[in-house]
Amino acid sequence: MKGQETNEIRWLDDNVKRLDELRSRFMGFEVVTKLEKTNRDSEYNVQSRTSFPRQIHAVNNKIAGDLLNASNRILENQLEATEGNFAQSLFLTHIKETALSLVFGSYNKATAEDKWRMFQFIEDLSEISSRTYESASVTLGILYFKEDAVDKAHKTFADKNMEFIPLDTAEPFMDLFNGEKAFLRLIDNRSMALVVNETFAVIGILRKKNDGRSICSELEDLIFTYNINAVLEQVYGDLIDKLGDLKQKVFREVKKQQPESTRKSVYQVINAYKELLLKNIEVIQLANKTREYPDFLYISVDNDRVNFYTQSRMVVSLVNGIWKMRHYDLFVASILQKLMISKLPFYAALGADAFKKHMTRAFKGYNRLFRTFIDLSREQKSSVYLIIDTPDILHGIAESKTAKLLKGTGFLHSERKRRSLLAIKKGKKNANLIDLDPYLIKSLSAIDGAVVLDSNLNILSFGETISVSPGQSYNGTFGTGSTAAQFASKHGIAVKVSEDGDITLFIDQKKILKL
């Protein structure tokens, strides 16, 4: 009997590990699951944990919590339905069920008929994403309102640079495309997008007004700005908590820079810094309250990829039938924490006014950086970015410091007299990311080799070859580019954008996240 129980436990553990491999690939970070049997037969409580580094663990776990909880609820329901058995169907359907529950908030409580409509709509999107029109891939924008679609569409865009034009009668989604193939080119997510109701029937068209930005740019920027503000609010809150624990360290660091400082004066600066962070949180909360998160599901179809910008502030992708999370909030939070936590002592030494000025510029730089990564991913352009930890707080950096930082890595050895380096100069210094045109930044990204920044986002170099130690390898990392990026992250942060659009984040030689 004891041997049978041992075999059952081993069998259960093996299946949980198999499922965790699937969930980790879907979510983009390592997931470890534990099942606890309840008092009822064949019923389990599912608990999951992540393995983010301690420095960024608290905020990342909060952000990842909604995703883990959604997946755990699906697993509990599936185990209950199969009487505690890991049936083959569970492995085949768990990721899809989790994805659908994120895309459609009402999915878990939906009727069989409504679920069928959701399935059919997803199938239709997949089919359309594989089509071409006059040899060009289909690019499509869709806005899904789950109730009062016509009224909400009118109200939502009344004061925007877009206008909603209703159809005389609602038309089934696929009938519109099969009846008028020109729609495959007109609804390009730049000048026009479709608006659908709760039954996925097309009720109208969203059209860009004259001289306005593209629809996809407007909507993605609206969503991204809201999300980065929400992430900043959490990161700032965590910084406030950490400041209390790091008073002694901050004092020692400030003392090095300003020997005349007293403990009292340093603590006064720390308290002023806390107040400034609290004020920043209030500003962010007010901005997001004014802006509001879109009351619709935005769907972007582009080059065989279907992206769902969900109401839970996550992006879920469907590419060639494979579901994948693109958790940009986690990506942003991981980088911000790494950049900001290491500079805590130096922020305190700045003083309130200088800190406010620095953060205003830094926030613009963070936005530019993250938008660059997202654009490179969307355009499926391979690139590597390396951000080197630096204690100084500088806007623009002299060539002498640049050369010292690059040499100090031990693995960057480019020629510093290249004429092409003029592209990143501002006066006699190397420019900051916010000083350059976004198109130039994309051009730098396209050159073979890594774009190298310091932690103030000053541009140190581009086209850099990373010299990896002989025989260096990492579990779960494949390819010379990814291995080089992970190796280079020992000096800070490395981001690898691959040709298939995936983004991988490495910090301190650990793979943190894959989008």
Side-chain angles (χ1 to χ4, degrees), residues 364-393:
K364 290 180 182 177
Y366 299 149
N367 263 299
R368 176 72 59 83
L369 182 69
F370 297 135
R371 286 301 319 179
T372 298
F373 292 144
I374 292 170
D375 289 345
L376 289 170
S377 171
R378 184 195 296 114
E379 296 164 16
Q380 298 183 331
K381 293 181 177 178
S382 177
S383 187
V384 174
Y385 271 69
L386 172 61
I387 304 175
I388 299 175
D389 274 336
T390 48
D392 310 67
I393 296 176

Side-chain angles (χ1 to χ4, degrees), residues 37 92 94-95 97 101-102 114 116 141 153 164 181 202 222 264 274 306 314 333 377 386 393 492:
K37 213 168 187 351
L92 295 173
H94 178 77
I95 299 303
E97 292 285 304
S101 72
L102 294 169
D114 286 339
W116 180 86
F164 171 63
K181 291 187 177 179
V202 179
L222 173 67
K264 182 179 180 181
K274 282 185 179 181
V306 185
M314 303 179 209
S377 171
L386 172 61
I393 296 176

Side-chain angles (χ1 to χ4, degrees), residues 309-358:
Y309 293 77
T310 72
Q311 293 286 284
S312 53
R313 292 190 21 241
M314 303 179 209
V315 181
V316 184
S317 290
L318 180 61
V319 185
N320 296 322
I322 298 174
W323 289 99
K324 172 73 178 170
M325 278 298 308
R326 301 192 184 275
H327 213 318
Y328 293 112
D329 282 15
L330 268 179
F331 178 68
V332 170
S334 300
I335 293 177
L336 285 179
Q337 289 173 91
K338 174 63 176 174
L339 291 177
M340 297 179 74
I341 290 172
S342 63
K343 287 187 179 292
L344 272 177
F346 305 95
Y347 287 157
L350 276 179
D353 291 340
F355 170 72
K356 185 175 181 180
K357 184 178 180 181
H358 167 73

Side-chain angles (χ1 to χ4, degrees), residues 441-455:
I441 295 170
K442 284 187 184 180
S443 295
L444 299 177
S445 307
I447 294 172
D448 284 344
V451 177
V452 186
L453 313 173
D454 71 5
S455 51

